[in-house]
Amino acid sequence: MERDEKQIPIDLKRLGDYADRCHALAKELHYKEAEWTLEKNYETIEKLIELNQNLDLHDSAVGMLDYVRKDQPDVQESVEWYLRLQQWDKALVIFRRQEAERGPSYENTKGQIRCLFEMSDWEALSPIYERIWNGNDQQLQMASANIGMSMAWAMGNIDRMEYYLATLPNKSRDKSFCRALLAVYRSNFDEAVRYINDAREEMESDLVSHITESYSRGYSQVFRCQMLTELEEVIAYKMSSDDRERQAAIVDTWRQRLGGIQQDVGMWQKLLRLRSMVLRPVLDLDTWIKYVNMSRKSGHMRIARDAIAQLLEDEVRFMEEVNRGEFEAITPKLMAQAQEYARLNAQQQQQLGLSNGLSQGLSLHGNGASSWEGRMRRFSIGGGNSSSKNVPLDMSIRLSQQPALVYMYLKYKWADNERREAFQMLEMFASDYASKIGFD
């Protein structure tokens, strides 16, 4: 009847509900849009934003929100809108405003934790966890232990990972994976394999049900399976310390597999965090550059900046290891890069009048929250009195021996509204590279 431009004699709301039960998202969106033209209510707004987002129609979801703001300025903005649109910074502003007006609450604190976690703002998230775990709200502790585990993993704090793991509910679907992760860190490979098998058995029923429901929900479960597979490959990599060919084959498999992964910052972040247990970022530079560019294009500037800082820090460590002769299979090109790094580092120390090298400033002193906080202070977005927000990174990038990394950083600065500084640095690097290859 619809194809003949005739109205189906059934209420639109009921048709939308039936489409929802059948997981026919496109059909449900059609009925909800028709319902919106007849009755512009608050619930329909939220459902339209959710459906557009679930169908990967992000621009339509944002456009819907912009339309509501202009057409109905009296409608109070809901934090749920921004959560569904994954605009975590705007949702965080509303959560903080609500906390200032009404005081802290269980739901508000959970909302702030989720936003800060999705933004990878560990510096702001750590004090919240300190407050929660120094308090007596066991319900909030159990509800936030999963994110706390991920935060500790990102910060490289193994002791804290174990602490949050003890608080995770036994029915949590992530507990076996977290146990396997800790076992790999401690090189207890038999124990890790046992927990990986447990995790697979636990998610078997979820995998079947989610795949039958929708592609997006099924994909998230398939990705969890891939995480377990890659954790097994991390074990295989560690156990093949004397077999370079086997290790190279694993790394090649990882790089090829990324071609089939969605362009999702959160998924790439988890995979790279897992792989960096055995594969240092500077030796997987192309993958990390893709990750930074993806973060930049999707507006996750904090995540992009932190990944750049991690790359620069690892390059410093790598160059120093090469200069000390600790790295095997040194090629003439690599040796020349290490010597050039040492020359530039000494020159920069002399110019800045520093008593110790920038490499010491970049180094991590031990594990845990203290090392992470020190690193975040060095790469703080608002550090220093200069107009540039990225002064420490600007200084560090001058030592880099990777032109691709330099170019990626200049694109980051341009997107971060530091275009004048980016253009000046581009001219400086272009002149420097031209002189090195004899084009000056």
Side-chain angles (χ1 to χ4, degrees):
M1 291 180 68
E2 280 189 306
R3 291 177 181 175
D4 294 334
E5 298 183 358
K6 296 179 181 178
Q7 180 67 40
I8 298 177
I10 303 176
D11 182 60
L12 287 171
K13 184 173 179 59
R14 179 172 294 181
L15 288 171
D17 292 340
Y18 286 148
D20 183 31
R21 293 182 189 179
C22 299
H23 305 289
L25 299 184
K27 182 61 71 174
E28 184 182 2
L29 176 62
H30 167 70
Y31 291 130
K32 287 299 178 182
E33 286 175 342
E35 183 182 342
W36 167 256
T37 59
L38 297 176
E39 183 182 356
K40 299 182 179 181
N41 57 52
Y42 190 85
E43 293 181 358
T44 309
I45 296 172
E46 286 195 358
K47 194 62 179 178
L48 282 171
I49 292 174
E50 179 186 359
L51 287 170
N52 279 296
Q53 193 69 11
N54 289 341
L55 290 167
D56 293 328
L57 301 173
H58 184 71
D59 291 341
S60 298
V62 175
M64 182 66 197
L65 182 57
D66 291 339
Y67 172 79
V68 170
R69 285 173 177 164
K70 294 177 182 178
D71 188 61
Q72 299 185 20
D74 297 334
V75 174
Q76 185 178 3
E77 290 184 332
S78 169
V79 69
E80 289 296 327
W81 299 352
Y82 295 111
L83 291 176
R84 295 187 191 282
L85 291 172
Q86 299 181 7
Q87 295 182 354
W88 311 111
D89 52 344
K90 295 180 181 179
L92 182 62
V93 170
I94 296 179
F95 277 126
R96 285 175 170 170
R97 184 171 67 237
Q98 290 175 349
E99 184 181 35
E101 294 172 354
R102 309 170 191 171
S105 66
Y106 173 80
E107 292 298 332
N108 185 279
T109 303
K110 277 185 63 179
Q112 290 193 48
I113 288 174
R114 182 186 176 191
C115 292
L116 291 170
F117 171 72
E118 296 291 349
M119 295 165 61
S120 296
D121 192 350
W122 316 124
E123 194 175 18
L125 193 55
S126 294
I128 295 178
Y129 270 82
E130 290 286 341
R131 187 174 70 248
I132 291 174
W133 256 259
N134 289 333
N136 299 318
D137 192 340
Q138 294 184 355
Q139 182 184 8
L140 186 56
Q141 289 176 358
M142 293 182 68
S144 59
N146 199 348
I147 289 181
M149 180 76 185
S150 298
M151 178 183 68
W153 182 23
M155 293 166 63
N157 192 334
I158 309 303
D159 294 335
R160 204 67 181 174
M161 286 174 65
E162 190 170 9
Y163 181 74
Y164 291 126
L165 178 61
T167 314
L168 271 177
N170 289 326
K171 62 181 180 180
S172 173
R173 61 182 184 179
D174 292 323
K175 192 155 189 175
S176 294
F177 174 79
C178 294
R179 284 173 171 167
L181 197 63
L182 277 171
V184 172
Y185 270 113
R186 296 194 174 96
S187 298
N188 297 328
F189 300 135
D190 292 338
E191 181 181 348
V193 170
R194 187 170 67 252
Y195 286 131
I196 290 172
N197 292 332
D198 291 344
R200 282 202 177 99
E201 291 178 4
E202 291 167 3
M203 69 179 298
E204 184 176 352
S205 58
D206 288 340
L207 178 63
V208 174
S209 61
H210 287 180
I211 286 179
T212 56
E213 285 179 10
S214 66
Y215 173 81
S216 58
R217 295 199 70 187
Y219 186 87
S220 64
Q221 293 299 311
V222 172
F223 179 77
R224 286 170 56 82
C225 290
Q226 179 172 332
M227 289 282 289
L228 293 172
T229 299
E230 297 218 353
L231 188 56
E232 286 181 324
E233 291 168 345
V234 167
I235 296 173
Y237 189 101
K238 283 194 166 191
M239 296 178 67
S240 305
S241 56
D242 297 330
D243 189 349
R244 298 295 183 185
E245 290 186 4
R246 171 63 174 153
Q247 291 183 340
I250 292 173
V251 173
D252 186 59
T253 300
W254 287 345
R255 289 171 180 165
Q256 292 183 31
R257 193 180 288 149
L258 275 176
I261 301 296
Q262 286 184 355
Q263 299 291 298
D264 181 272
V265 173
M267 290 182 176
W268 279 57
Q269 187 181 54
K270 291 176 182 177
L271 283 178
L272 292 183
R273 193 182 299 157
L274 190 66
R275 296 174 182 184
S276 62
M277 295 172 68
V278 292
L279 181 63
R280 58 192 316 164
V282 74
L283 297 180
D284 195 21
L285 190 59
D286 289 344
T287 301
W288 278 79
I289 287 176
K290 290 178 183 177
Y291 168 60
V292 172
N293 289 335
M294 185 195 309
S295 303
R296 171 179 55 81
K297 291 176 182 178
S298 59
H300 295 91
M301 300 303 289
R302 179 181 292 276
I303 296 177
R305 189 201 68 226
D306 185 60
I308 293 170
Q310 190 173 351
L311 275 170
L312 290 171
E313 177 184 8
D314 192 52
E315 186 184 13
V316 166
R317 287 175 176 267
F318 184 60
M319 291 292 106
E320 291 181 345
E321 289 173 8
V322 171
N323 279 323
R324 291 195 299 263
E326 297 177 4
F327 186 75
E328 298 179 3
I330 299 177
T331 63
K333 180 181 177 181
L334 182 57
M335 195 66 228
Q337 289 177 344
Q339 291 173 352
E340 178 66 10
Y341 159 79
R343 184 188 69 80
L344 291 174
N345 190 26
Q347 186 181 59
Q348 191 175 80
Q349 289 181 49
Q350 186 177 11
Q351 290 174 348
L352 297 175
L354 298 176
S355 59
N356 52 2
L358 179 63
S359 58
Q360 289 181 331
L362 285 168
S363 298
L364 290 175
H365 302 287
N367 291 324
S370 59
S371 62
W372 175 266
E373 291 165 1
R375 177 173 141 199
M376 290 306 293
R377 282 195 297 272
R378 287 188 288 277
F379 296 107
S380 173
I381 229 174
N385 298 320
S386 170
S387 60
S388 174
K389 298 181 292 185
N390 301 300
V391 173
L393 291 180
D394 287 350
M395 294 170 58
S396 304
I397 199 67
R398 295 170 187 263
L399 303 179
S400 178
Q401 301 300 304
Q402 305 294 334
L405 177 55
V406 172
Y407 181 56
M408 175 201 66
Y409 179 65
L410 295 180
K411 290 195 290 184
Y412 161 80
K413 285 182 70 69
W414 188 274
D416 203 30
N417 295 321
E418 294 190 38
R419 299 186 174 183
R420 181 179 178 182
E421 292 88 346
F423 192 74
Q424 290 174 345
M425 293 182 71
L426 177 61
E427 289 185 328
M428 180 194 72
F429 281 113
S431 176
D432 182 48
Y433 291 147
S435 64
K436 287 180 180 178
I437 61 178
F439 282 176
D440 52 340

